[in-house]
Amino acid sequence: MAATTISSSLIGRDAELAALLQAVVAADGGQPALAFVAGESGVGKSRLLSELTRRARAELGAKVLSGECVELGDGELPYAPLVSALRPLVRAGDPGLLELPAAARFELAALLPGLADVGGPGGHPQTESERRSGAQGRLFEALLAAFDRMSRDAPVVLIVEDVHWADRSTRDFLSFLGRNLADERMLVALSYRPDELHRRHPLRPLLAVLERTPHARRIELGGLDATDVRAMAVELTGVEPPAEQVERLVRRSDGNALFVEELLAAGPGPLPPSLADALMVRVERLPAGAQEVVRVLSVAQPADHPLLEGLDVVRDDAALRAALRDAIAGHVVAVDGSDRYVFRHVLLREVVYDDLLPGERSDLHLSVARALERKLPGDGGPGLAAAIAHHYHRAGDQPQALRSAILAADAAAAAHAEADAAQFLERALELWERVADPVAIAGLDHVDLLVRTSRAHRNSDDQRRATLINHALREARGADADDPRVPMLLQQRAMAEWGLGRGEASRASLDLARRLLADDAPVAERISLTISRMKLATLQSRYAETIALAEEILSQLPEGRDGELLRSETYNNFGLALIMTDRHAEGVAALRESAELARRSEDYVLLGIAYVNLADALQLSGLAGEARTVTEEGLAEVDEGVPGAAWLPTMAAELAIDRGDYAEAETQLRRTGRTTGNTRVNVELRRAELALCRGDDAAARASLEEAEALLVDSLEPQFVAVAGVLRAELDRRGGHPMGAREAVESALERLEFCSDDTVRLGRLALTGVAVEADIAQRARDLGDEPGGTDAVARAGVMLSRAEAAAAAGRPLETAYHAAARAHMLRACGEDPGQAWIVASEAWRVLGRRLQAADALWRGAEACLARGRRDEAAMAAGRALGEARELGAEWLVRELEGLIARARLTVDAASAPSSDDGAALGDGAAAEDDDPFGLTPRERQVLALVARGATNREIGAELFMAEKTASVHVSRILAKLDVRSRTEAAAVAHRLGLVAD
């Protein structure tokens, strides 16, 4: 039974193919999609995508671009699948690339050097600033623009295979693409092997984000069933297989299409003892010369013909060509779309590679590395240096591996792939002690290598960054106690420590750097240290100190581009401090100047910081509308790939939360991507606050715990105060008032004597008064006079803090103070009069809808307790309508419970969603003397319950059986909509149903 080598038709995947074709049709209609094709190696992912390519082109007129990720072990080829997909278009002169704006073509030339000369010059020289800030983001925008331009003529299908091997830069682009697809006529199909994704695989977090986007659809390829395996056997052999053979194929292959093919191709006779043997049978059937080329290709893949010709192990070009023809005819090797030789199946390459002898493998890697190096400089794109480094590393040539790792890091940084550069630098650190004279080989000493690696981690791993700088400090001090690099190393450590939330340690490192800085140190270093001190003062909200330091150094800044960057950084902090100390016009002007200087210098990191600081200062000044406008400007101008860009969508989310647009807040938070350090703290606090506003306490607790774990030593009010407020609110809702008290007091203790941030201190003080009011009210309900007195005294102290924060008359602090005064009256059990109305109006003017509704709810409670039922009904109805519109489920529940228990009549549009007409205030309450429908007898029972009487004592007092007393108590609990006698007593006291 002779077998052909590969199935010519797609078997068993009709539903999956139909889903992908439908996605292309939807994309053609302006609904872009991400399709994830998941399955183990050989299950048929590539075959499915090949059929999609054929059908999409033939039937739907789509333009299909495809590339595959390359497995290089410890090394990576930055953007390998994108280069593979786009390079044929450059060679073909595709108008989708040629008609792009010149600036976009310039950015794409970093990946596709052949594009640099097309259409004439249109870019600008690459600067160090571009490599430090935003260049990757501009590259991503250029790629998206290219795909968008191509999709105007026909739907585009971008296929990226084996993304489990994707390099960091490719993963970053896929993340960007998934978040930014809008109306492009584009389907992105990604294949990967789930079995390759170990617990810490870098693809896992990307998939977790992308597979939840609205554009995503997942296609899981399982094994073929017996019917499909039989169909494959018929096609491959031309005869109907016996049932026992089908059963054996299914068992041995587990339905894996590649395994079925290979087992059938092994021919008659005993099956090989393992699949590896089955795969090697096809290789061993090749002529000797072809087998040798296949062994070479297992190391060199993907390899074009010039690369194979240039290998030391290849001596005869004619023999090479003959061997390649034999390997292709034997269906072991194929030619891809870029005219490179590759294995037809990845498992074939793996078994051939594993079959190499150790010495043979090393020699081949060394030969490939040298051949690739002879192509430098050349049209290799960003992956050539990475490939050279990989092969030298695998060859075991440690000196060359060290040298090539440094060069690969340079190339990765030039292609804006900083994370990939960090990996190569980490490898260089590993190799350092293994070679003789590493300084001569690397061109820098070990301290400088540690510093450079630390900088490469600054946007991805603050912990590793700090560790590397500490190692550099120890080495510098050990080698030379007076090493002039020590002060600046301490400065870098200080900033890494602050990023990790270690406030005190950061300030200590910076103080030590100042003391160690030599008197004759360059002015630039002295200025740099002063700017770092100013940054920490700003982050700690020590605005007076920030202003003093800024005024000290502004006159010292040099002219030229370096001076502009330093001035931009100074104005970034100076402007924020000015606004927060009521020098509003000066502060806005300084921050606008900071943005302009950063824009002129093309430093998009500083530009993003300027936008965030200006928006934050405006928001804290009660100018939410202006803050929103500034944030939207920043989002439009600063690419998502810029380091620190996550702060802009987080700022937008914070503003959306404040105005009650929770859907927009959630959308913006999804744009933040993967974050670390203080950026992650900021994002998680916003997620916690959003969840609390909606009433999802579990989600709020999870995000808050993540943030708190990073805030143990933080001194930043923007984090510590907010975390304290959110923790207190969670504990209040959970019935843990003492925990809420501790959360507020702990936050105040960390901030009160080291911060000028009146807004956050005012918010903390308001929360503190509210917590003490809860405790005082509960103490009165339970007859705990000492506890109530203590809570009222504590509330008074908190109120004095709120008053102090509001002394300057700033809008937010004034609103916090108004709400705190109303809570103080609640704590004292006094009639708040108009206090809650004043607080609600203060919040309404600021656009804080949830806080305004919360104040109305508290006002309704206060009116009800004093018999002002009409006022209570009006306030509760307004608050409920607002809470429902916002989606604040926790407040909806509180208000519906209050309205139902008190049988308030509210506007039909705001009425509680219940089928119980009496509970909704349908007029039944008006017929009763008691708003809860309690009978006179039940009021007598409730009075005794409020005094703490047991059922037996109630029965004795009112001359009824204990069982009858129990029935009365159960009815009272139901009517008051409470769960316990204690809650019933509290409601009775609070709403005046019994005498105190």
Side-chain angles (χ1 to χ4, degrees):
M1 182 171 64
T4 60
T5 56
I6 186 168
S7 172
S8 60
S9 61
L10 187 66
I11 295 174
R13 305 298 184 197
D14 293 343
E16 293 86 350
L17 178 61
L20 289 170
L21 290 171
Q22 183 56 43
V24 180
V25 173
D28 196 14
Q31 299 178 34
L34 282 168
F36 296 90
V37 181
E40 66 176 4
S41 177
V43 78
K45 302 184 297 297
S46 296
R47 186 70 188 84
L48 172 64
L49 294 174
S50 175
E51 186 67 12
L52 170 66
T53 298
R54 185 184 71 80
R55 294 275 298 273
R57 284 172 174 161
E59 300 173 12
L60 303 176
K63 175 177 288 188
V64 183
L65 313 174
S66 62
E68 62 182 17
C69 302
V70 181
E71 201 275 319
L72 285 181
D74 297 328
E76 296 186 324
L77 291 173
Y79 307 113
L82 301 177
V83 173
S84 179
L86 294 173
R87 184 183 284 137
L89 300 183
V90 177
R91 293 173 178 170
D94 188 275
L97 294 176
L98 301 187
E99 294 176 10
L100 287 172
R105 292 200 312 274
F106 177 82
E107 297 297 339
L108 290 176
L111 289 184
L112 305 162
L115 195 62
D117 299 326
V118 176
H124 48 77
Q126 195 175 71
T127 66
E128 179 63 22
S129 171
E130 288 177 322
R131 290 193 288 271
R132 289 193 301 113
S133 59
Q136 187 179 67
R138 295 195 300 277
L139 172 62
F140 290 178
E141 289 288 353
L143 285 167
L144 183 58
F147 291 132
D148 182 51
R149 172 60 188 84
M150 285 185 271
S151 72
R152 296 177 193 172
D153 302 324
V156 171
V157 178
L158 173 64
I159 296 174
V160 180
E161 296 199 59
D162 298 324
V163 292
H164 50 276
W165 287 331
D167 59 280
R168 170 63 183 273
S169 302
T170 298
R171 294 196 302 271
D172 286 346
F173 174 70
L174 293 176
S175 176
F176 168 87
L177 189 62
R179 296 195 309 273
N180 286 277
L181 284 175
D183 55 5
E184 294 84 0
R185 298 165 65 207
M186 184 176 188
L187 166 67
V188 182
L190 311 174
S191 72
Y192 68 93
R193 303 182 195 172
D195 51 302
E196 291 274 355
L197 306 185
H198 53 77
R199 188 165 60 88
R200 295 188 176 181
H201 195 286
L203 186 62
R204 278 189 177 275
L206 176 61
L207 292 176
V209 172
L210 292 184
E211 290 188 349
R212 291 201 303 266
T213 63
H215 306 298
R217 59 193 69 193
R218 178 182 171 86
I219 297 174
E220 186 87 39
L221 297 187
L224 301 174
D225 60 21
T227 301
D228 294 327
V229 170
R230 174 179 279 104
M232 283 191 66
V234 170
E235 181 173 6
L236 291 171
T237 65
V239 298
E240 182 74 22
E244 60 270 20
Q245 184 186 15
V246 173
E247 188 275 333
R248 187 167 61 251
L249 285 171
V250 172
R251 185 181 69 251
R252 292 291 305 280
S253 70
D254 198 25
N256 183 294
L258 173 62
F259 294 1
V260 172
E261 288 181 4
E262 297 299 336
L263 292 170
L264 282 169
L271 292 173
S274 69
L275 180 63
D277 291 339
L279 292 169
M280 283 300 294
V281 164
R282 180 171 297 177
V283 176
E284 290 168 352
R285 287 176 176 172
L286 297 174
Q291 289 189 44
E292 182 62 30
V293 166
V294 166
R295 284 192 284 272
V296 171
L297 193 60
S298 72
V299 171
Q301 177 183 317
D304 56 21
H305 200 82
L307 173 61
L308 293 178
E309 285 182 312
L311 295 179
D312 299 336
V313 295
V314 175
R315 303 297 183 191
D316 186 337
D317 184 54
L320 171 63
R321 295 176 186 276
L324 285 168
R325 287 194 183 95
D326 288 338
I328 293 170
H331 298 277
V332 172
V333 172
V335 179
D336 69 8
S338 298
D339 294 331
R340 297 175 303 178
Y341 300 109
V342 296
F343 279 84
R344 188 175 65 83
H345 288 301
V346 66
L347 290 183
L348 277 169
R349 181 195 183 190
E350 291 176 8
V351 297
V352 173
Y353 185 85
D354 290 343
D355 192 57
L356 295 173
L357 296 172
E360 184 181 19
R361 188 179 301 143
S362 298
D363 289 345
L364 285 172
H365 275 296
L366 188 59
S367 180
V368 171
R370 290 169 175 168
L372 288 172
E373 205 160 31
R374 285 191 287 270
K375 296 177 69 173
L376 286 175
D379 183 13
L384 181 58
I388 293 169
H390 162 73
H391 287 293
Y392 272 129
H393 186 59
R394 285 296 181 91
D397 187 334
Q398 293 177 342
Q400 292 296 340
L402 173 60
R403 181 187 61 82
S404 61
I406 300 292
L407 294 175
D410 293 338
H416 327 310
E418 196 169 69
D420 298 311
Q423 292 188 14
F424 288 115
L425 292 169
E426 290 283 3
R427 179 188 295 171
L429 288 172
E430 292 176 6
L431 292 167
W432 191 267
E433 298 295 336
R434 304 178 189 174
V435 302
D437 199 4
V439 174
I441 295 170
L444 71 172
D445 71 6
H446 197 241
V447 171
D448 287 338
L449 178 58
L450 287 165
V451 172
R452 185 175 170 190
T453 310
S454 171
R455 286 175 178 163
H457 281 296
R458 68 182 179 270
N459 298 313
S460 59
D461 190 344
D462 283 326
Q463 183 61 63
R464 181 61 177 160
R465 177 187 175 194
T467 299
L468 290 165
I469 285 295
N470 280 328
H471 284 316
L473 273 167
R474 282 195 292 272
E475 284 193 24
R477 286 168 165 171
D480 181 359
D482 297 322
D483 191 319
R485 294 175 294 185
V486 168
M488 305 318 293
L489 290 174
L490 284 166
Q491 178 198 29
Q492 291 188 43
R493 184 174 76 177
M495 303 316 294
E497 288 169 335
W498 191 272
L500 291 168
R502 301 171 186 166
E504 291 294 352
S506 177
R507 291 179 70 88
S509 293
L510 203 55
D511 288 343
L512 180 58
R514 292 170 57 200
R515 292 197 300 271
L516 294 180
L517 189 67
D519 293 337
D520 59 350
V523 173
E525 291 188 9
R526 193 171 300 280
I527 291 174
S528 179
L529 279 178
T530 304
I531 288 177
S532 292
R533 289 170 57 205
M534 180 182 59
K535 284 182 183 178
L536 296 195
T538 305
L539 291 169
Q540 203 173 344
S541 301
R542 301 168 68 102
Y543 301 127
E545 183 179 344
T546 297
I547 291 171
L549 289 170
E551 291 174 341
E552 173 188 330
I553 62 172
L554 276 172
S555 61
Q556 304 175 28
L557 298 180
E559 297 298 324
R561 183 177 179 280
D562 290 342
E564 286 192 344
L565 289 174
L566 292 172
R567 188 166 280 102
S568 174
E569 200 165 4
T570 302
Y571 279 145
N572 243 325
N573 298 274
F574 189 35
L576 175 64
L578 289 172
I579 293 175
M580 296 310 297
T581 53
D582 295 324
R583 295 165 64 179
H584 185 85
E586 293 176 76
V588 171
L591 282 163
R592 286 293 186 185
E593 178 66 12
S594 172
E596 179 55 34
L597 290 168
R599 190 181 296 110
R600 199 157 60 208
S601 299
E602 297 182 339
D603 192 318
Y604 291 93
V605 173
L606 279 177
L607 181 61
I609 295 172
Y611 275 123
V612 170
N613 282 352
L614 180 54
D616 189 41
L618 292 170
Q619 177 216 23
L620 295 175
S621 299
L623 301 172
E626 294 181 31
R628 184 178 182 183
T629 299
V630 169
T631 303
E632 289 171 352
E633 287 179 26
L635 288 169
E637 190 168 356
V638 179
D639 299 330
E640 291 185 7
V642 173
W647 284 78
L648 276 166
T650 310
M651 185 77 245
E654 184 175 351
L655 292 166
I657 291 169
D658 285 346
R659 67 177 180 269
D661 189 348
Y662 302 148
E664 171 65 11
E666 184 173 6
T667 298
Q668 293 293 345
L669 287 173
R670 281 200 298 265
R671 297 178 60 183
T672 58
R674 297 173 59 191
T675 55
T676 61
N678 282 345
T679 307
R680 182 182 174 194
V681 170
N682 193 31
V683 171
E684 292 303 330
L685 287 177
R686 298 288 82 80
R687 286 178 176 152
E689 188 166 13
L690 175 60
L692 271 175
C693 289
R694 285 175 157 171
D696 187 349
D697 291 358
R701 182 172 290 104
S703 287
L704 185 56
E705 287 175 354
E706 281 198 49
E708 287 173 332
L710 298 170
L711 287 176
V712 176
D713 298 315
S714 177
L715 297 176
E716 293 192 47
Q718 63 174 328
F719 299 144
V720 174
V722 174
V725 167
L726 298 182
R727 172 57 64 186
E729 183 59 28
L730 263 178
D731 284 343
R732 288 179 70 197
R733 293 187 192 179
H736 306 295
M738 295 305 171
R741 172 188 282 173
E742 182 181 348
V744 172
E745 291 183 345
S746 174
L748 281 169
E749 184 179 348
R750 292 169 68 178
L751 301 178
E752 194 167 25
F753 301 107
C754 63
S755 174
D756 305 328
D757 194 333
T758 56
V759 178
R760 272 95 182 203
L761 290 173
R763 186 179 181 185
L764 263 176
L766 163 61
T767 305
V769 178
V771 168
E772 298 305 333
D774 292 345
I775 295 172
Q777 190 169 282
R778 180 179 177 85
R780 281 198 303 277
D781 292 342
L782 301 178
D784 178 10
E785 185 175 349
T789 301
D790 177 63
V792 170
R794 290 173 179 267
V797 174
M798 291 291 179
L799 179 62
S800 67
R801 290 187 170 103
E803 289 173 347
R810 291 166 58 86
L812 271 176
E813 292 91 324
T814 299
Y816 289 134
H817 179 223
R821 285 184 63 250
H823 277 297
M824 186 69 206
L825 293 169
R826 182 167 69 92
C828 296
E830 298 176 8
D831 186 347
Q834 293 294 305
W836 285 118
I837 300 300
V838 171
S840 180
E841 181 63 15
W843 290 124
R844 188 194 65 77
V845 169
L846 289 168
R848 305 288 182 97
R849 297 170 62 192
L850 182 61
Q851 288 88 341
D854 179 89
L856 286 174
W857 163 46
R858 294 296 185 181
E861 279 190 330
C863 290
L864 193 59
R866 287 157 183 83
R868 300 197 294 269
R869 292 179 52 75
D870 291 344
E871 293 178 49
M874 183 178 297
R878 286 173 56 197
L880 181 57
E882 189 83 337
R884 283 180 176 162
E885 188 174 331
L886 289 171
E889 293 302 324
W890 69 274
L891 186 53
V892 170
R893 291 192 296 268
E894 293 286 357
L895 286 160
E896 287 185 341
L898 176 67
I899 293 168
R901 287 194 301 270
R903 295 196 174 191
L904 294 175
T905 301
V906 300
D907 180 83
S910 302
S913 52
S914 168
D915 294 330
D916 182 354
L920 295 181
D922 61 354
E927 299 173 5
D928 297 330
D929 293 333
D930 185 278
F932 292 90
L934 298 175
T935 66
R937 193 61 162 169
E938 288 168 345
R939 289 177 68 89
Q940 291 178 313
V941 173
L942 179 57
L944 294 172
V945 169
R947 294 209 308 257
T950 65
N951 288 345
R952 182 187 296 268
E953 291 168 341
I954 292 170
E957 179 79 16
L958 299 180
F959 304 102
M960 63 176 66
E962 182 178 351
K963 185 174 183 181
T964 303
S966 175
V967 171
H968 279 302
V969 171
S970 296
R971 288 176 178 170
I972 291 169
L973 296 182
K975 289 182 177 181
L976 296 182
D977 190 23
V978 296
R979 291 169 293 182
S980 69
R981 299 164 71 97
T982 301
E983 289 184 25
V987 169
H989 283 299
R990 191 176 311 136
L991 301 185
L993 301 180
V994 297
D996 289 333

